Amino acid sequence: MDRLAAVLEHVARSEQGMTLTELARAVDAPVSSIQGLVNGLAATGYLDERDRRYSLGTAPYLLNLIAGRHMVTRIDHAVLESIHASCGLTTLLSIAVSTDVFYIDNVSREPRYDYLAKNFIRRSLIRTSAGWVLLADFTRRDLWTYLSSLPPEDEERVERFLAALDEIRETGVCAGPHTSEVADGVSIAVRESGRTTGAVSIVGSEEEIGHRRQELTDLLVAHRERWDSRP
């Protein structure tokens, strides 16, 4: 087994994640020789680093979806259909891979969102309500690194995101951030084992989201209570 495959397998088998030293010991290599490999895997979403411990990231999950092997998650298509039936607006399930948002499932009357989800098109974290929910779970280091990498035209979005950050972390909800030029949304975090693994969003025009903001927030919170109660 080559070193890259060995690192991914050891991390995947570890429930608590592994430190760089533990990984080096597991693959029988000096820390210095795998540091760059681990950094690269973390930067591309194959590994996730928290408190200097590495766990499997979301990139392998995305590759399975692209290949047509849909893994079981807390949110299935029926959940999105139920939300859509209640509100009549586009409903999306999103994940973050490295510094991008991917829509991985949707219920919508608008071909645009079906196209984005079916083709796994990258979207901007800072320019979507789902992205704000996903960003709120980033570590401080990763969050500051991402925000500082954004172009000047996103500066105002960054300021508004930082102003909303504490509330998003407390509630798991981002409602109507007015961060996209083409639509607005209300998004809620999907959390498993203390981590945000995805976001469910209701998307519509800025006018409609603004008018129905509290109604849509209440709808998503009610559905979260149902999926969180599942065994």
Side-chain angles (χ1 to χ4, degrees):
M1 184 184 299
D2 66 28
R3 192 165 288 172
L4 185 150
V7 166
L8 290 174
E9 180 170 336
H10 281 292
V11 168
R13 293 179 183 276
S14 172
E15 293 184 3
Q16 305 301 322
M18 301 178 71
T19 66
L20 189 62
T21 300
E22 289 169 342
L23 275 171
R25 188 181 305 121
V27 301
D28 192 24
V31 169
S32 59
S33 70
I34 69 164
Q35 176 79 70
L37 172 62
V38 169
N39 288 347
L41 290 170
T44 52
Y46 286 87
L47 293 180
D48 187 23
E49 188 267 328
R50 294 266 173 151
D51 300 324
R52 300 184 181 180
R53 300 191 72 84
Y54 295 89
S55 56
L56 199 64
T58 49
Y61 171 61
L62 179 66
L63 291 178
N64 272 283
L65 289 172
I66 292 172
R69 294 186 290 271
H70 293 266
M71 301 168 64
V72 176
T73 65
R74 184 179 292 271
I75 308 299
D76 57 22
H77 191 71
V79 172
L80 303 186
E81 288 181 327
S82 178
I83 295 170
H84 177 75
S86 297
C87 67
L89 297 175
T90 292
T91 307
L92 304 166
L93 175 62
S94 307
I95 61 171
V97 177
S98 187
T99 58
D100 297 298
V101 174
F102 290 84
Y103 301 145
I104 60 173
D105 198 2
N106 81 102
V107 180
S108 178
R109 298 189 184 95
E110 298 185 40
R112 174 174 179 270
Y113 290 102
D114 195 48
Y115 170 79
L116 292 172
K118 291 291 192 301
N119 292 280
F120 303 105
I121 306 298
R122 297 174 186 269
R123 307 294 293 164
S124 168
L125 284 165
I126 200 64
R127 294 183 178 221
T128 59
S129 62
W132 283 31
V133 166
L134 296 164
L135 275 173
D137 195 55
F138 276 32
T139 64
R140 180 178 293 270
R141 184 190 67 184
D142 289 344
L143 181 59
W144 292 168
T145 298
Y146 171 74
L147 294 178
S148 66
S149 73
L150 294 171
E153 55 263 33
D154 282 328
E155 184 176 344
E156 192 263 343
R157 292 182 177 90
V158 171
E159 291 297 325
R160 288 193 289 109
F161 167 73
L162 290 173
L165 179 56
D166 287 344
E167 182 178 356
I168 295 172
R169 284 178 168 168
E170 180 180 350
T171 64
V173 174
C174 174
H178 312 299
T179 192
S180 169
E181 295 92 348
V182 296
D184 205 0
V186 179
S187 296
I188 194 166
V190 179
R191 295 186 64 82
E192 299 182 52
S193 302
R195 295 287 312 283
T196 296
T197 56
V200 174
S201 307
I202 298 172
V203 177
S205 69
E206 190 169 299
E207 180 181 3
E208 182 151 31
I209 295 298
H211 179 66
R212 301 176 62 185
R213 175 174 172 161
Q214 190 59 55
E215 170 205 342
L216 299 175
T217 298
D218 291 344
L219 176 62
L220 287 177
V221 169
H223 275 270
R224 179 176 61 186
E225 291 173 356
R226 294 174 199 167
W227 72 61
D228 280 349
S229 67
R230 292 179 179 177

